[in-house]
Every structure is written in C-alpha cells, then in structure tokens.
Amino acid sequence: MWDFSLSDALRAVVRTAPFVVLRLVVYIAIALGFVLTTGFGAGVGYMIGRLNESQNGALWGGIAGFVLVIGLLRLAREYILYLVKAGHIAVLVQLYDGKPIPGGEGQIRYGADFVKSHFAESSVLFGVDQIIKAVLRALIGIVNRIAMFLPIPGLAPLLRIGEAVVRTSLTYVDELILAYLIRTATRNPWETAKEGLILYAQNYKHFLKNALWLWFFLWAITVAIFAILLAPAFAFAAALPGHNVWWGIAFALVFAWSLKVALLEPLAIAALMQVFFKTIEGQRPDPNWESKLNTASARFRELGEKAANWIPRPSIPPSASPDVRPA
C-alpha cells in the first residue's frame, strides 16, 4: 500500500488555505482566459468567414484565440512557478517541519519572502525546474532499460503502457526537489537539485509505488470533475458561432485541469513530501546513480557544470519578520 497519510496531507493543505485560494484565482483566471479568448476569436472568425463565404471561420478564429492563450501562459509560467507554486511549497515545508506559519494574506507574503530569500532571481528557480524535468525523462529511460532485462514474456507492450503511466506519475517530482531545496536552505540551488535527483533516483521504486497510488486517486477525482463540467461547457459552446461540440469538451477539460492544479496538486505535493523526506533521511547520494544519470542525461551533466560554476548571489532578506501565529 501507500506510505503517506492523506488526512495529514489534507490538514496541511487546509492550513495553507490562503495559497489554495490564490492558486484557485490564478488558474480559474487562466481557464476563463481560454474560454473568453476562444469565444472572441470564434466571433471574429465567424464574421470574417461570412464576408469570405467560408464555413470554417468560427472554428479557425476559436483555435487562434485558444493558441494565443497557450502562448501567453508559456510566457507567464516562470512567474507562476516563482510567485505561486514555490511560495506554497515553502509554507508546506514549514508545516512539515512543525514550524508555525501566519494565516490570511500574511501567509502569502511570508511564502513569497521565504522564496525570495533563497532564490533572488526567478530565472534561477525556473532554470533549475526545467533541467529537473529533462533529467526525469532520462531517469524513465534508465528504468525502462533495467526492466528490459527482466525475463518476462510479452514485457514490451506492458513497458510501453507502464512508461505512459510512469511519466504522468512523475508530475510532481520537480516540486519535491524544490521542496528539498527550500528545506535544506540551499546556497547552491544547482548542486542541491543534483543531490535531490540522485536521492530520488536511488529510491525510485519506493517513490514510484506511492506516486502511482496517488496518480490513480487524483485522476479519478479529475475525471469526475470533468464529467460534472461537461453540461455547462456544452451549453456555453452552443452559444458560440459555429456551434462546434468539440469546444464544449475543450472547455470542460480546461476547467477540470484548472481545478486539479489549484486544489488537488497541493494535496499530492503534501502527501509525497511525507514519503520523500522520510525515505531520504540520513541518506547520501549514491555515486553509482550519479554515474548513471551522468551517462544518460546531458542536462544532468549541465546541472553539475552549473553547480561547479555557481557564484552565490546575496540573498534578499525578508521585508519583515511576520507575526507568525499558527494558521
């Protein structure tokens, strides 16, 4: 079975309600951006299509609006990571260690100040995050190569299915490494991220088991949310020019994703933090796994190079010590 306590994770998420509300506002705003921009694009496309006697103007206009929001979201993802995700993870780490945190809006300021004091530049945190994601893809390859040597008939199709599930179950590993960076009060984020990845790799079977349980649990809830949202999404799609039923499915998917990221992702991180920190307690990075990752991933080697060349920047001190009361 799993090695985390969902009730403890839920209590931690409830105690960080200000960040949950902030995430909800941010991601629902993104979902509304998709819907409104798609609707506007469909309307403009429909009018242009009528002038050109085209039947697909609304469809192409809607697609253009949808893609525009995706582009804007990619530009903003560095700041969403820095201001929203990292701050929330910092507060969850404090709670895990039994330290008091402020409540209300002060909690958000506290989390933001905590992150700024460790990562003076958002680009550093974003760069670490992107390299971690690339190294995890290489780790999946290593695990698959190990499994290929197992004498099990018909293993190849199972491996392909398993790889798809494994990729999805590793969604929150970069957040776990970020939590490790925050908890260790790193002065060299590249070196600490490298250590965290090695520690994860050398315990991957244990982590993967827990991540898979959590993956099935969260996606079951997400599918239920998607099913509930289909009716209002279809109603809105019917009001768009062109009456394309696929827009209803797309809108339901976007809002289900938004609610998953805003409400369920913090629960997953809080649960997996329990497993990660308990498992690696007292461990040292295994040189054999460091060698494997060095061989398999150019981005992991890049991580080592950046760690070796890192010159610590002066930390930004928190603006003021918050009046910390248990939230």
Side-chain angles (χ1 to χ4, degrees):
M1 294 294 285
W2 53 82
D3 302 297
F4 52 82
S5 168
L6 274 178
S7 59
D8 288 348
L10 184 58
R11 276 194 292 270
V13 172
V14 170
R15 289 189 62 188
T16 60
F19 265 107
V20 174
V21 172
L22 175 63
R23 293 173 73 111
L24 195 59
V25 169
V26 168
Y27 289 108
I28 290 297
I30 290 171
L32 287 173
F34 274 110
V35 171
L36 296 176
T37 308
T38 300
F40 180 76
V44 173
Y46 178 76
M47 289 187 290
I48 294 175
R50 291 197 63 179
L51 292 175
N52 298 328
E53 297 183 353
S54 171
Q55 301 297 318
N56 297 320
L59 174 63
W60 289 112
I63 291 174
F66 202 84
V67 171
L68 174 63
V69 178
I70 291 176
L72 293 174
L73 184 57
R74 287 184 66 84
L75 291 175
R77 59 183 175 163
E78 176 178 339
Y79 299 99
I80 292 174
L81 171 69
Y82 188 62
L83 298 175
V84 180
K85 285 190 175 184
H88 196 183
I89 291 171
V91 174
L92 286 171
V93 168
Q94 295 293 94
L95 279 178
Y96 177 85
D97 287 331
K99 298 177 181 177
I101 59 170
E105 294 181 5
Q107 185 180 114
I108 295 174
R109 288 194 300 271
Y110 177 72
D113 285 348
F114 197 98
V115 173
K116 288 176 183 177
S117 68
H118 289 78
F119 305 97
E121 301 174 21
S122 63
S123 59
V124 172
L125 179 58
F126 184 69
V128 171
D129 183 71
Q130 294 304 298
I131 290 181
I132 289 170
K133 285 182 169 67
V135 175
L136 288 173
R137 289 192 289 270
L139 177 59
I140 292 171
I142 294 174
V143 172
N144 283 343
R145 284 196 292 275
I146 293 172
M148 285 176 64
F149 289 100
L150 298 177
I152 302 175
L155 186 62
L158 293 176
L159 278 179
R160 285 194 291 271
I161 297 172
E163 181 178 349
V165 176
V166 168
R167 285 184 184 277
T168 310
S169 67
L170 292 177
T171 301
Y172 306 117
V173 176
D174 51 327
E175 278 90 349
L176 290 180
I177 304 300
L178 173 56
Y180 179 68
L181 266 62
I182 291 171
R183 194 179 190 218
T184 55
T186 180
R187 295 292 295 162
N188 185 335
W190 308 101
E191 180 64 33
T192 309
K194 178 182 171 183
E195 292 176 0
L197 281 166
I198 298 170
L199 290 168
Y200 184 90
Q202 68 195 45
N203 296 284
Y204 79 89
K205 291 181 182 178
H206 185 66
F207 295 140
L208 188 58
K209 176 192 73 172
N210 286 277
L212 287 174
W213 277 111
L214 201 58
W215 179 82
F216 284 117
F217 173 72
L218 295 184
W219 274 105
I221 297 176
T222 304
V223 170
I225 293 172
F226 169 73
I228 293 170
L229 292 174
L230 274 175
F234 279 137
F236 184 83
L240 293 179
H243 310 293
N244 195 313
V245 69
W246 291 106
W247 286 124
I249 296 175
F251 294 155
L253 282 171
V254 167
F255 275 97
W257 166 82
S258 299
L259 292 173
K260 175 180 178 292
V261 176
L263 302 177
L264 300 182
E265 183 179 276
L267 182 65
I269 294 169
L272 291 174
M273 271 174 46
Q274 299 170 21
V275 181
F276 185 68
F277 289 144
K278 287 177 183 175
T279 302
I280 67 172
E281 187 174 356
Q283 291 189 15
R284 300 289 297 171
D286 185 344
N288 290 329
W289 268 104
E290 181 175 3
S291 177
K292 288 178 184 178
L293 290 170
N294 265 320
T295 302
S297 173
R299 298 305 299 274
F300 186 79
R301 295 193 294 273
E302 181 185 348
L303 196 60
E305 292 168 3
K306 288 182 177 293
N309 297 322
W310 174 251
I311 300 174
R313 275 71 164 174
S315 297
I316 298 176
S319 55
S321 298
D323 180 16
V324 179
R325 295 183 295 272

